Amino acid sequence: MLAFKTKCCAFLVLVFGVALGVLNAHSQGGTSIDNAMDIQLPLKTFRDMKAEAKGCVECHAKKHPGIVADWKMSRHAHAGVTCIDCHAVTRDSPMLTMDGHEGSKVPISVLVSTNTCGKCHEKETKEFRHSGHARGAVQVWAKASMRDLMEMVEGRGHPDLKHAPEATGCIQCHGSIIKLDKNRRPTPETWPTYGIGTAFPDGSVGNCASCHSAHKFSLAEARKPAACASCHLGPDHPDIEIYNNSMHGHIFNSEGNTWNFDAAPGTWKVPDFRAPTCATCHMSGNSKSAVTHNVSRRLKWNLFMPLSQLRTGGYETASDAYRDNYQITKGNPLAGNPKGPDAARAEMKAGCIDCHNSAHINNFFTMADKNILLYNEYYNEALKMKEALAKKNLLDKDMWNDEFQRIFYHLWHHEGRRMRQGGIMGAPDYSHWHGVFELQQDIRKLRKIYAKRLKTNQIED
């Protein structure tokens, strides 16, 4: 009994001593890894860390504790990947933003490009370059109409303010072409951005942190719908709303917090989840398809363009064009599966078979495809009217000041996308009420305007 009491007392003394040590470290405001980081978080991650890297962590643990807290809970930290591994560059690198920092002699960049990520994640970055995501930024700057909308229409052509719409809006999803100022700091017009297709000064394209946010870079985070929802939402591509409207979203929203999102790559499958998320259908591995970061690979149709077309273009090209000579192109909007649209559909169906029989799957896609073709009928009629008016000079040069052209734009860019994407992702309200129902009203309005202009041979006031 005495021995037991002695052990208990010793244990209490030990606990009390540790507690005093913690309080003392906090009161002294220490900045070492031990007292500035490991007291706050349970795991030690500085094993075999070089002095320069250790200095980065110690300093940022004091100045930016959130960054270090995220990093420490990441797989990077547990694998010994430090700040320097991702941020160090050579002095002649186009990515250089600081030649030494806070007493360190290591030249670094605040920017981390896919060239850096690709040193370890070569397969993933290569697949990404082949996807439509890689086209995100460069296609915007390759289209004069997009630049005009952002800077002249929305930005009013203001000499100082015209870049605000793109910096706070467009580039946060599409990405930007990052520029450095005379002091080699990223310009406020082009950075910061979490845009998926960001083009970096080193010629690489893509932003891994769009889905795996810094500095935790979580696999589980990227598998959840929220990773896609920050960009795939709103009136023109309401994909998260569509997902929530679907039975898949219903199941996820009911019980997704109980699912296993931490399975190793290539092993995440039923019964880790009961219904797919965005990543399950477009990226994750299944019984017949391997994991891919090419989100275009399983898509049969291009549903964001005015006219729905089969994806027959193979791989995306915009990233390679920018990498090779900084060429800014519209890319390949028909990029998809290199074996063609039927192969893309087969890979998509391979993920469905885990939970649905073949009759269910085939019937669903048969009607979804017919819904897409029905949309094309509406669009072709509208396009025919627009082309006829153009030949007679009955379209305003300013499309945003022309009722016919505004309705035409919303017909395909808003209602038409909702109809098509809602149908292919199992969202009845978006396919119907937010989609084809509004679209059929658009076509009626266009017919009236078309007939009136032909009759009067003038554009109405």
Side-chain angles (χ1 to χ4, degrees):
M1 186 66 179
L2 180 60
F4 174 77
K5 289 182 177 179
T6 301
K7 290 181 179 179
C8 287
C9 290
F11 175 76
L12 290 172
V13 169
L14 176 62
V15 170
F16 185 68
V18 170
L20 283 177
V22 169
L23 291 172
N24 184 54
H26 276 289
S27 65
Q28 293 179 8
T31 59
S32 74
I33 290 180
D34 284 329
N35 63 24
M37 185 170 67
D38 287 305
I39 283 172
Q40 301 169 36
L41 296 167
L43 302 173
K44 290 182 179 290
T45 56
F46 56 90
R47 54 187 179 276
D48 300 323
M49 190 182 291
K50 294 181 180 179
E52 289 282 7
K54 189 174 180 180
C56 295
V57 176
E58 288 179 336
C59 182
H60 285 286
K62 183 177 180 180
K63 290 190 173 183
H64 309 110
I67 291 177
V68 175
D70 272 3
W71 168 78
K72 193 175 180 192
M73 298 304 293
S74 73
R75 294 190 181 187
H76 280 172
H78 290 260
V81 178
T82 70
C83 316
I84 287 180
D85 292 313
C86 298
H87 288 278
V89 295
T90 59
R91 285 187 169 83
D92 61 352
S93 170
M95 295 281 286
L96 178 71
T97 59
M98 285 181 281
D99 190 359
H101 175 59
E102 298 288 339
S104 170
K105 296 181 180 180
V106 178
I108 66 168
S109 177
V110 297
L111 310 171
V112 178
S113 73
T114 46
N115 275 351
T116 297
C117 301
K119 293 176 182 178
C120 295
H121 304 283
E122 182 179 4
K123 174 180 179 292
E124 290 79 4
T125 53
K126 181 179 180 180
E127 290 169 347
F128 176 89
R129 289 203 313 272
H130 292 157
S131 78
H133 274 164
R135 188 175 61 249
V138 292
Q139 69 166 351
V140 172
W141 272 263
K143 297 176 181 177
S145 60
M146 279 298 298
R147 296 198 309 274
D148 181 72
L149 173 63
M150 295 185 298
E151 298 173 7
M152 304 308 295
V153 178
E154 297 169 338
R156 300 170 64 91
H158 192 286
D160 186 47
L161 307 177
K162 66 181 181 180
H163 294 293
E166 66 199 61
T168 61
C170 305
I171 73 170
Q172 298 306 323
C173 285
H174 283 269
S176 69
I177 299 176
I178 295 179
K179 304 294 184 183
L180 303 182
D181 63 21
K182 62 181 181 180
N183 297 316
R184 301 204 60 79
R185 303 296 288 174
T187 63
E189 292 83 7
T190 64
W191 188 86
T193 171
Y194 275 98
I196 191 76
T198 295
F200 289 87
D202 64 358
S204 65
V205 169
N207 192 346
C208 305
S210 295
C211 304
H212 307 273
S213 64
H215 281 80
K216 192 175 180 181
F217 306 110
S218 167
L219 176 61
E221 176 187 339
R223 286 170 168 167
K224 296 179 181 179
C228 308
S230 57
C231 289
H232 291 266
L233 79 170
D236 56 335
H237 38 52
D239 298 313
I240 188 59
E241 295 94 331
I242 285 170
Y243 179 76
N244 288 332
N245 183 217
S246 73
M247 181 54 68
H248 293 157
H250 162 77
I251 296 172
F252 170 80
N253 289 321
S254 297
E255 59 179 72
N257 62 324
T258 67
W259 297 353
N260 174 27
F261 286 96
D262 292 311
T267 69
W268 189 54
K269 58 187 65 176
V270 176
D272 291 323
F273 50 84
R274 271 196 63 224
T277 65
C278 317
T280 316
C281 297
H282 295 282
M283 302 177 72
S284 299
N286 53 56
S287 57
K288 295 184 179 180
S289 301
V291 177
T292 181
H293 276 64
N294 180 352
V295 295
S296 304
R297 184 181 177 91
R298 299 175 187 174
L299 302 180
K300 179 178 180 178
W301 296 93
N302 180 318
L303 300 182
F304 73 83
M305 291 177 68
L307 180 69
S308 308
Q309 298 181 56
L310 294 172
R311 289 179 174 266
T312 57
Y315 288 138
E316 178 53 60
T317 58
S319 176
D320 290 345
Y322 190 79
R323 177 196 61 193
D324 294 341
N325 57 12
Y326 294 97
Q327 184 180 1
I328 298 173
T329 71
K330 296 178 182 178
N332 178 13
L334 295 182
N337 192 301
K339 296 181 180 179
D342 290 337
R345 176 58 58 80
E347 289 193 21
M348 180 65 76
K349 285 183 174 181
C352 307
I353 200 67
D354 286 342
C355 298
H356 303 287
N357 63 41
S358 57
H360 181 118
I361 297 167
N362 292 334
N363 285 355
F364 172 83
F365 281 111
T366 293
M367 298 315 298
D369 286 347
K370 288 185 176 182
N371 191 57
I372 292 168
L373 294 173
L374 175 61
Y375 159 80
N376 279 356
E377 293 289 315
Y378 280 99
Y379 176 76
N380 284 330
E381 180 185 350
L383 180 63
K384 185 177 180 180
M385 288 188 283
K386 182 184 177 185
E387 290 175 341
L389 292 176
K391 288 181 180 179
K392 294 180 177 292
N393 295 317
L394 292 175
L395 293 176
D396 196 308
K397 292 181 179 180
D398 180 0
M399 66 170 287
W400 307 112
N401 196 41
D402 185 324
E403 186 179 9
F404 184 96
Q405 293 185 78
R406 286 200 308 270
I407 295 172
F408 179 86
Y409 179 81
H410 282 89
L411 178 144
W412 72 265
H413 193 269
H414 285 50
E415 288 85 56
R417 285 181 177 173
R418 296 196 294 261
M419 175 184 175
R420 291 175 282 175
Q421 294 180 15
I424 203 72
M425 290 188 277
D429 207 55
Y430 281 86
S431 179
H432 183 242
W433 291 116
H434 294 298
V436 68
F437 180 79
E438 294 188 11
L439 196 147
Q440 58 84 21
Q441 294 182 69
D442 289 341
I443 204 73
R444 283 167 167 75
K445 294 175 184 176
L446 292 178
R447 287 170 184 163
K448 285 186 176 181
I449 298 171
Y450 173 73
K452 185 176 181 179
R453 290 187 184 182
L454 288 184
K455 183 178 180 179
T456 63
N457 199 37
Q458 63 182 12
I459 301 173
E460 65 282 355
D461 293 332

